[in-house]
Amino acid sequence: WAALGAWALPSRGHSVSKVYTFGQPRVGDTVFQRAFEERTAGVPFFRVTRSDDPFVYSPQHLVHVGTHVAYEGDVSRGYVLCTDPATYPVCTTDMPTSKVNILTVRCSMPQNCGHFLYLHSKKIGLMSAASCTGQLGLSKRSALRKAPASRGVAAQHP
């Protein structure tokens, strides 16, 4: 996951200048959250979510990291920078299990699943392994492995 990469890469000699995640689930407990914030201080970390993505609400016993950027759904509705979640309902990090279950069932058809629709108006096809190949047939993962270590990393949850 991108948050864990942002945590680990600097200790392995890589430079992380900015991180964007899309549909990131909760990644750690409150101890990890504090340690993460200390280790990544000064690195802009944006956690982009859609209210119709069931995976951003789980697992419920863990917490989120990063600055929350929330979309009600499609990007045409605009986003909210969640500095005060109480002000904007779309910024909530909790949802009743019954609603998460309904959203999860919708994911049986990817075209109806918010988790697969990030950047949908800017790309062709759903987010899947098939959409991650370039004109040369190289996967994004193999291209990233060949990138120089000094470059900044913008990560995305698959």
Side-chain angles (χ1 to χ4, degrees), residues 32 44 113 116 129-130 156:
F32 173 79
C113 180
F116 294 107
Q156 176 178 333

Side-chain angles (χ1 to χ4, degrees), residues 84-126:
D84 181 8
T87 305
Y88 304 102
V90 71
C91 293
T92 187
T93 58
D94 293 315
M95 179 178 277
T97 303
S98 60
K99 289 187 178 183
V100 172
N101 290 343
I102 290 168
L103 292 175
T104 303
V105 168
R106 289 181 63 194
C107 288
S108 64
M109 298 183 68
Q111 66 272 20
N112 296 327
C113 180
H115 191 70
F116 294 107
L117 300 176
Y118 288 94
L119 306 175
H120 196 64
S121 64
K122 301 293 181 194
K123 65 177 184 55
I124 298 172
L126 298 170

Side-chain angles (χ1 to χ4, degrees), residues 1 23-28 53-64 93-95 100 104:
W1 292 333
Q24 174 181 288
R26 296 175 176 148
V27 294
D53 179 353
F55 302 106
V56 302
Y57 303 106
S58 34
Q60 292 187 343
H61 66 283
L62 299 178
V63 296
H64 286 293
T93 58
D94 293 315
M95 179 178 277
V100 172
T104 303

Side-chain angles (χ1 to χ4, degrees), residues 128-139:
S128 66
S131 64
C132 292
T133 56
Q135 292 178 336
L136 300 176
L138 297 174
S139 72

